[in-house]
Amino acid sequence: MSELVQPAKYFLNQNEIAQLLGISPQAVSIAAKQRGIDSFKDGNKAAYNPSDVRSYLESRGVKYPQRVIAFQMLKGGSTKTSTAFNLAVRLNQYGAKVLCVDLDPQGNLTDSFCYDVTNEPVFFHVANGECSLNDAIINVSDSLDLIPSDFENSTLDFLITSKNRDLRNFIANIIDPVKSRYDFVIIDCNPSLSPLNISIALASDQILIPVNPDKYSAKGLKKTIEELTRIGKEFKHTFDYNLLFTLYDGREATSQKYLIEYGTHYRDRLLSTVIKKNADVKNAIDQKKTIFDFKKAAAREDFDLLAQDMLGIRNIGKKEGRA
Ligand SMILES: Nc1ncnc2c1ncn2[C@@H]1O[C@H](COP(=O)(O)OP(=O)(O)OP(=O)(O)O)[C@@H](O)[C@H]1O
Ligand SMILES: [Mg+2]
């Protein structure tokens, strides 16, 4: 079946910037022109590339942080990849320079960006000294890069343990040299307590654990935290980890139950933003798009607010009062 596929949009349109800043689309256009920032046409709307959004937001005092964030959770299918993908895209649309690192041999994050990397370098080849990290970086769009993954990465664990590598610094040593080029390095992991995931955790500033409203998820969370605590003691390292409630459905009693349960037991760790269960998250991947290509998607605003919180730009318009 042939289909006409519109590419995913890795940019913001004027209305989205207007909404963020609480001003009119016309005011966005005038302010951008005053700052010498050019727009381009997306249908009948003016749109701005991430680097231009960045110039605009920086001129309003927004500071971009430098963070390495790993998505980890022992339970499979907890939405690590989908959440990492949509968060990375939104951070980038808001002007952040983002490097996505797919370290799950399933290569789902790589698939989300629609790359087939058969015969292309992945992280394993870098770690094994076969190429440089730069050789493995794919430029997806303006200031959005990806280090892809495929089954070759399943030998990373063997590589770490067989050659008695320094687990503490194995991942950090490879990633650190390029970190300063990005505001966010977002690492997607497989659901396991592998040496690779331990090394990733030790190289990260923050670990995001997606939790869902079900018993298996609660069990996986408990085990994940126990393991982080154990590793932390062994390596004398304090992990900064947070829970992100996803697959929330307000009509389900279990969603209410687990929201209360996670909120009670992990009050200081649970992020205030909750990601709703929404078939458009799946539809977007299927259609080679992101949740931000679906204007009416229920989870769109959730991902948007999550990214805004990470950049500290939620309510920026209200705080400043004008463009
Ligand atoms: N907010 C959401 N609403 C509805 N479905 C979702 C949502 N987020 C993810 N999904 C779906 O849930 C399934 C599991 O998601 P995903 O593959 O991201 O999980 P994962 O934790 O990365 O899995 P794995 O442990 O295998 O790596 C996918 O089919 C995905 O489309
Ligand atoms: Mg995954």
Side-chain angles (χ1 to χ4, degrees), residues 34-49:
Q34 281 169 349
R35 291 164 171 87
I37 296 169
D38 290 327
S39 64
F40 60 92
K41 278 279 172 206
D42 172 37
N44 60 358
K45 290 200 186 75
Y48 296 88
N49 278 320

Side-chain angles (χ1 to χ4, degrees), residues 203-222:
S204 303
D205 299 307
Q206 182 183 21
I207 296 162
L208 274 186
I209 310 173
V211 291
N212 321 132
D214 64 79
K215 195 172 177 180
Y216 304 150
S217 184
K219 197 175 161 195
L221 169 66
K222 192 162 170 277

